[in-house]
Every structure is written in C-alpha cells, then in structure tokens.
Amino acid sequence: MNHIYIENSSANRAMEVLQLKNVSKVYTLGEERVTAIDKINISIKKGDFVALVGPSGSGKSTAMNLVGCLDIATTGEIYLSEVNIQKLTESDLAQIRGKKIGFIFQTFNLIPSLDALENVALPMMFQNVPRDIRIKRAKALLEQVGLKERMYHRPNQLSGGQRQRVAIARALVNDPEIILADEPTGNLDTKTGDEIMDILKELHKKGRTIILVTHNPDLTKLANKVFTLKDGKIVGA
Amino acid sequence: MFTDYFLLSLKSIRHRKLRSWLTVIGIVIGVAAIISLITLSRSLQGTIEDQFESFGANRILISAKGFQGPGTLSQGLTMDDVETIEKISGFEYVIPGIFRSSEVNFKGQTSFTLVGGIPSQYYEEFYTDTGVDIVDGRNVKEGEKYVAIIGSRVATEMFDKEVHVGDKIEMGHQEYRVVGILQEVGNAQDDSQISIPLDAARELFDEEDAVDLIIAQVKVTDEIPQLQEKIEKELEQERDDTNFQVVTAAQILEQIGQVLGIMQIVLVGIAAISLIVGAIGIMNSMYTSVLERTKEIGIMKAIGARNKDILILFIIESGLIGLVGGALGVLIGAALAYAVGPLSQNAGFTIHITLEPLVLLFGLAFAFVVGIIAGILPAWQASRLKPIDALRYE
C-alpha cells in the first residue's frame, strides 16, 4: 500500500489531514438528477475539531459519507492525508477507512453477536493485527472509556451510553487520523450525551482530529471550525 | 488470520441458534440417509460375497431350466446327466442332490422346510469344502440312511422345543435320528435346511432317478470357465436339449452384484435429493442471514472490511453449517446402519455392518463442499453491498 502515500504527496498540503476541493455529489433518481453536494471546499488541519452542521436534507450526511470514504464524489477531489481517495479501488478504500477513520454513529452500530472487547478489536482484525495485540489494545481502550467491568458484555447487555463508549473505543483502536462522529448523542439522554461529548473534548485535547456531524447547534460550541451546509452548499464557515 | 474469520463466523452462527440448527438438520438428514444407505448396501454386498466365497468358489452348479414335470416336454435332470458330467475329467467330485420341501414332525409339532439329500459318502467332503462346521454332534457317515444333519434354525427356532443331537424327527412316516447340528450361516434358507442321505431322500420324495441339482467341485479354479463350457457341450449332446443351466459361483455373485449396484444407485440417488434440499436450505438461510445482517455488513465495511473479507466470512459460515451437518449426519447414518443390521436378522438374513472410513470421510467432505457451494451466491451478494446502503438499512 506504500504507493498510496507516495502518490499525490506535496509539501504545501503538509498540515492538511483532509481536503475537499470542488467536491460535488450527484445522485440519479430515475430520470432526475439530484445534486446533494454542490462544489464544496473544506480543509481540515491536524488537531482540528470541526463541526459539520445543517438541517436534514442539507447534504451533510452525503458530505460525511464522502469524508468517511464510504462513498465517492461525482466530481472534485478529496485528499485524506495527502492521498487522493477518488483514485482508489473499493478494497483500498476499505483499508483506508479501517486505518485512518474512526467512525462513531448515532445508532452505535456495534455487532450484536460480539461482546464489547470483540467489537473494539474487530477493526484491527481487518488490518491483520496479531490477536494478542488486538486484545491488549482493545482492553486498554475499554479501560480508558470506563468499561473495564463490561468488556465481556454484549451490546444488548449495555446501556446506550455504554454502547457509545464501546463505539468510541472501537473508533480509536487503529489510531485513526480522523474521528468522524455522526450525531453521536442523538440517541442518548442529555446527561449521557454530555458525557460522550466530554470524551470527545478530551480526545481533541490530546490532539485528535475530530469531525462532528450534527443538526444540534449546541454541540458546535466545542468546535474550532464550523461548516454550515444548506442545499448542498457551505453557507457559513 | 483464518482462525479469526472462523471464530467470527462461529459466533454469528451461534447468535442465530435456532435457525442455524434448523439449517443443520436439513444437511444431517441428507448425509445420514446417504451414509446409512451406502453402508447398508455395501455391507449387504460384502456379506453375500463372503458367503459365496466360503460357499465354494470352486463349484459349478447344474440345474434344470424352467418348469419341468408331467405334461411338459421339458425333462429334468437325471442320474444319466450326473454320469455324463462325471466322465469329464477335472472334477474333485460330482454330487447329485435332491432339494425339496417336506413336512417335518417333532414331538407332535409339524413344520415345513427344505430337505436336501446328497449321497452319504460325500457328506464329509461337502461340508469341509462348503466351510460350514458341525457345531454339535457329527457328520453323516458313509452307508448311513435314516440320519439327519440340521441347520441352526431347525434346532432352535422351528419347533417350540429345541432339537438336540440324538433326537428323532419324522418326515414321511419315517423317523430320522439327528446326528449333527450345523453352525449358523446367516441366511434363513440355509439355516432352516435338513440334510439327509440321498437314498433316504429318494424314498421320502418317491423319486428314483431325478436329480434337482448337480454340484461339481472343480480341482483347479482357473479351469472353471473351460469346464463350464465342457459340461454345457456334453450335456447338450447327451440330452439333445438345452433345458438345463450351468452356473458358477462367480456368475451368481456377479448377478447379485449388478442388482445390488442398481439398488445402491437408486437409494443413494434418493438420499442425494434430500441432500440437495438441505443445500437449498443452507442457501435460503444464508440469504436470510445476508438480508438480516445487511447493517452489520455495512458496519464491518465502515470499519475496514474489504469485499473479500465479507465473502470469506459468509462462505466459512455456510461451510461450517455444512460441516456440522455432515459430522452429525455421518454419526447418525452410521448409527442407523448399525440399528438396521440386526433387524435384517429377523427377516432371515444377517448383514454384517462394516463402516468404511472412506465413505464416512466422503460424507463429511461432501457436506462441507455442499455448504460452501450453497453459500457462494449469498456471500457474493453480501460482499457486493455498498457500505452506505448497507449502513442505512434498518
């Protein structure tokens, strides 16, 4: 995979973890063409806490999918740590997702048949990390998010807040460049939501790059950069 | 690496316990049916072959063909035919025999069974060459007349009271002294036979010259085909007809083998259908699983699983279902064969069940392969899911 790092690397983007250049996403629904994202430019530096806000239908989910390498832009270029992901194969994209992006979802998205420890360790399996190291790292991370006593519980045996902590531990396990949190508090009560936001704040302090996708303006207070999307365009930054 | 996938698949199977087991059962039934039927029919064949081997691979049997008797042109065998055969060199001995059904009385009880008569002087050689031992008493001696050797079933099952050596049995108002009891052969007809000297049989059945079966014991096994041909030629010349048949043990064996072979193909074919149904069950279960776990597949892809990872995971899963079904099927199939074996004894034929490791291994491997094949399409479909679509799926 080394070629990916060599290709497209240039000095002037050294600090940029993520860059979207003139990125558009057009869906074709039958005869109709829907522009979900319209020529947006976003630049995120290492250590940034970025909020991507906008009402539903604004294109923020599409933007998140593009940033998370879950989808490919129709036009424009996306650079993730200097790599133009537009040019990657499906398999390489999967590798990039596993290695460089830590996802935190609104609905937690844990695997129901696996316990907390196995859920956290799973992304390392797809990166061919040896088993003993996987277990060690997963245990350490679960301890950090305060779930030492709950390692062997399955998701349905955990509360919403606990599940989201497991998801955070899972997001961190491959030491990603970016943590991509999509409405991480959306399914939680205020108190638990605050606790999760505290963890994100803590991670930011330790130098993590965080992209928070939300429709809740309150959550954007933590961010040092806010991109507001409307009708597929950035209307405020 | 493979171990990790394996464990992950195993967890997923265990998570859907009920459906996994139901799917496994489909395979179990198919494999068990195939294993038990193959084992049974092969054991049956083996048992028959064993019997024939001990029964005299060196024998040529001559009998009349078709229906004979008064009013028909066909003429049964007579002592003339025995003489014709005796003239041909290459035989250890040529035994004329009468084999017919008769009423037998013992201690006031009446039964019907097959009575065989061969000359008293041949008894010793006949039973030695046949490989059947006399387990109680002795053989018929040359010159004896109203004596009998009885099969094991005659001794133990035919009458309410057991027949012992020295007891008298009555056939055609003539008493016969039982001098010997034969070992159990395994098939009802032989074990229910009573053997008496030919002279006595001629009196019993009121036949002066007729012969039902001629047993010609060959000196050199390799000469059997030539001798068979010679007998046919000489008999045809002497009798001026072809109302007789000359068969060798090998020919009978071949015929039985062919019949059993066809039976085996039919039975295994039927069993294979149930295995196909089982495979469709796996496929159905895997498709359901893909649908049910669409979101899970999306999650795995989001956290770095490539298409081939998903493909491997699902194929291992279906292969595992096949393997578990195969293992249980082999066990149950073997148990079934062992259970049916003794039942055959009641029907008059003892099948000695022999489990062949290769057949068992084949059953296991086959189920595994069937599982994998059934899983390929669903796994392919799973691996091709787009992460965003899969993640959005509820």
Side-chain angles (χ1 to χ4, degrees), chain B residues 17-30:
Chain B
K17 243 184 212 129
L18 179 66
R19 209 176 52 232
S20 298
W21 277 118
L22 290 177
T23 314
V24 164
I25 287 171
I27 293 299
V28 169
I29 291 171

Side-chain angles (χ1 to χ4, degrees), chain A residues 132-149:
Chain A
D132 48 338
I133 297 175
R134 295 203 305 255
I135 303 278
K136 217 168 110 187
R137 287 214 62 186
K139 276 186 175 167
L141 277 163
L142 279 168
E143 221 175 307
Q144 278 177 42
V145 296
L147 287 175
K148 197 187 176 186
E149 311 299 322

Side-chain angles (χ1 to χ4, degrees), chain B residues 281-320:
Chain B
I282 292 187
M283 212 186 239
N284 189 24
S285 169
M286 292 308 291
Y287 268 122
T288 315
S289 177
V290 170
L291 209 61
E292 213 178 53
R293 288 154 68 201
T294 300
K295 183 141 194 184
E296 202 175 307
I297 294 162
I299 298 166
M300 290 212 255
K301 285 199 157 182
I303 62 174
R306 288 153 297 185
N307 290 3
K308 71 164 195 212
D309 294 319
I310 303 291
L311 189 76
I312 292 170
L313 275 172
F314 274 82
I315 286 180
I316 290 178
E317 205 172 306
S318 67
L320 217 55

Side-chain angles (χ1 to χ4, degrees), chain B residues 341-379:
Chain B
L343 287 182
S344 71
Q345 206 159 7
N346 302 335
F349 197 90
T350 312
I351 304 175
H352 302 287
I353 301 294
T354 30
L355 285 181
E356 290 164 277
L358 215 64
V359 170
L360 303 186
L361 210 67
F362 168 79
L364 199 63
F366 194 62
F368 183 55
V369 171
V370 161
I372 285 175
I373 290 173
I376 285 176
L377 278 175

Side-chain angles (χ1 to χ4, degrees), chain A residues 65 70-71 90-91 94-95 97-98 103 105 107 109 111-114 118 122-123 125-126 128 134 170, chain B residues 1 4-5 7-8 11-12 15 295-296 299-307 309 313 387-388 391-392:
Chain A
N65 288 337
L70 290 167
D71 206 356
E90 227 176 298
S91 168
Q95 281 287 308
R97 284 196 295 269
F103 287 95
F105 300 96
T107 51
N109 284 355
I111 308 284
S113 57
L114 302 180
E118 290 160 340
L122 190 60
M125 189 180 126
F126 298 123
N128 296 324
R134 295 203 305 255
R170 180 178 66 182
Chain B
M1 198 60 211
D4 296 325
Y5 286 122
L7 290 173
L8 204 58
K11 278 187 183 119
S12 156
H15 194 63
K295 183 141 194 184
E296 202 175 307
I299 298 166
M300 290 212 255
K301 285 199 157 182
I303 62 174
R306 288 153 297 185
N307 290 3
D309 294 319
L313 275 172
I388 43 164
L391 271 174
R392 220 184 284 137

Side-chain angles (χ1 to χ4, degrees), chain A:
Chain A
M1 292 268 296
N2 270 335
H3 65 281
I4 295 168
Y5 301 104
I6 296 160
E7 201 182 36
N8 293 318
S9 74
S10 59
N12 63 340
R13 285 198 297 265
M15 289 298 287
E16 314 290 345
V17 178
L18 182 76
Q19 270 192 315
L20 276 69
K21 290 184 170 177
N22 269 326
V23 170
S24 294
K25 180 72 188 178
V26 181
Y27 294 107
T28 314
L29 295 170
E31 303 261 301
E32 206 179 341
R33 285 163 61 84
V34 180
T35 307
I37 293 280
D38 195 6
K39 289 181 193 150
I40 61 170
N41 287 286
I42 293 176
S43 176
I44 294 167
K45 288 193 169 66
K46 192 170 163 52
D48 273 350
F49 193 135
V50 175
L52 205 61
V53 291
S56 65
S58 61
K60 75 180 174 339
S61 291
T62 307
M64 190 210 83
N65 288 337
L66 294 174
V67 170
C69 303
L70 290 167
D71 206 356
I72 297 286
T74 313
T75 55
E77 286 173 333
I78 299 174
Y79 292 90
L80 179 61
S81 46
E82 333 247 296
V83 180
N84 186 350
I85 64 167
Q86 291 295 102
K87 292 181 176 172
L88 299 182
T89 63
E90 227 176 298
S91 168
D92 286 341
L93 275 178
Q95 281 287 308
I96 291 264
R97 284 196 295 269
K99 204 174 198 158
K100 307 216 165 212
I101 295 166
F103 287 95
I104 302 170
F105 300 96
Q106 179 175 358
T107 51
F108 322 126
N109 284 355
L110 301 174
I111 308 284
S113 57
L114 302 180
D115 64 27
L117 186 65
E118 290 160 340
N119 262 295
V120 175
L122 190 60
M124 289 187 281
M125 189 180 126
F126 298 123
Q127 303 292 331
N128 296 324
V129 178
R131 192 178 162 75
D132 48 338
I133 297 175
R134 295 203 305 255
I135 303 278
K136 217 168 110 187
R137 287 214 62 186
K139 276 186 175 167
L141 277 163
L142 279 168
E143 221 175 307
Q144 278 177 42
V145 296
L147 287 175
K148 197 187 176 186
E149 311 299 322
R150 293 275 188 276
M151 275 184 206
Y152 301 106
H153 287 59
R154 284 223 282 267
N156 60 5
Q157 297 164 315
L158 298 171
S159 70
Q162 287 169 335
R163 286 185 211 184
Q164 199 58 300
R165 286 162 194 263
V166 174
I168 291 172
R170 180 178 66 182
L172 292 170
V173 86
N174 276 335
D175 193 20
E177 302 273 341
I178 295 170
I179 290 172
L180 190 54
D182 180 20
E183 300 280 11
T185 62
N187 273 23
L188 302 172
D189 59 61
T190 317
K191 186 172 166 284
T192 320
D194 288 346
E195 282 169 21
I196 296 299
M197 288 311 293
D198 285 345
I199 295 176
L200 290 182
K201 202 162 83 182
E202 197 63 33
L203 289 172
H204 179 229
K205 257 190 203 161
K206 285 177 181 163
R208 293 276 173 193
T209 310
I210 296 172
I211 301 175
L212 174 69
V213 182
T214 182
H215 69 280
N216 183 354
D218 283 353
L219 298 180
T220 61
K221 283 181 282 189
L222 293 169
N224 63 346
K225 247 188 215 173
V226 179
F227 294 97
T228 308
L229 274 158
K230 203 182 170 193
D231 297 331
K233 289 188 170 116
I234 290 173
V235 291

Side-chain angles (χ1 to χ4, degrees), chain B residues 125-229:
Chain B
E125 283 164 297
F126 180 78
Y127 281 109
T128 308
D129 290 338
T130 309
V132 179
D133 293 334
I134 292 163
V135 288
D136 200 6
R138 61 166 175 85
N139 213 328
V140 170
K141 287 177 187 157
E142 188 171 352
E144 281 184 314
K145 193 169 180 187
Y146 299 118
V147 291
I149 285 181
I150 60 173
S152 63
R153 278 185 179 236
V154 179
T156 54
E157 283 174 38
M158 197 169 285
F159 303 102
D160 292 344
K161 287 177 185 139
E162 202 170 313
V163 183
H164 297 285
V165 171
D167 282 347
K168 296 263 169 72
I169 53 174
E170 195 200 305
M171 293 183 285
H173 307 294
Q174 172 63 51
E175 278 193 339
Y176 293 80
R177 190 161 46 88
V178 175
V179 293
I181 298 171
L182 295 173
Q183 73 173 110
E184 192 183 335
V185 178
N187 77 65
Q189 196 184 338
D190 288 337
D191 285 334
S192 302
Q193 194 181 318
I194 296 173
S195 300
I196 57 175
L198 184 62
D199 295 347
R202 291 213 176 285
E203 270 182 35
L204 177 61
F205 298 116
D206 195 21
E207 287 285 4
E208 276 176 26
D209 201 33
V211 174
D212 294 331
L213 182 71
I214 302 170
I215 302 159
Q217 181 81 10
V218 173
K219 275 182 189 154
V220 186
T221 311
D222 289 347
E223 288 176 6
I224 288 178
Q226 294 97 287
L227 285 170
Q228 185 185 10
E229 215 171 296

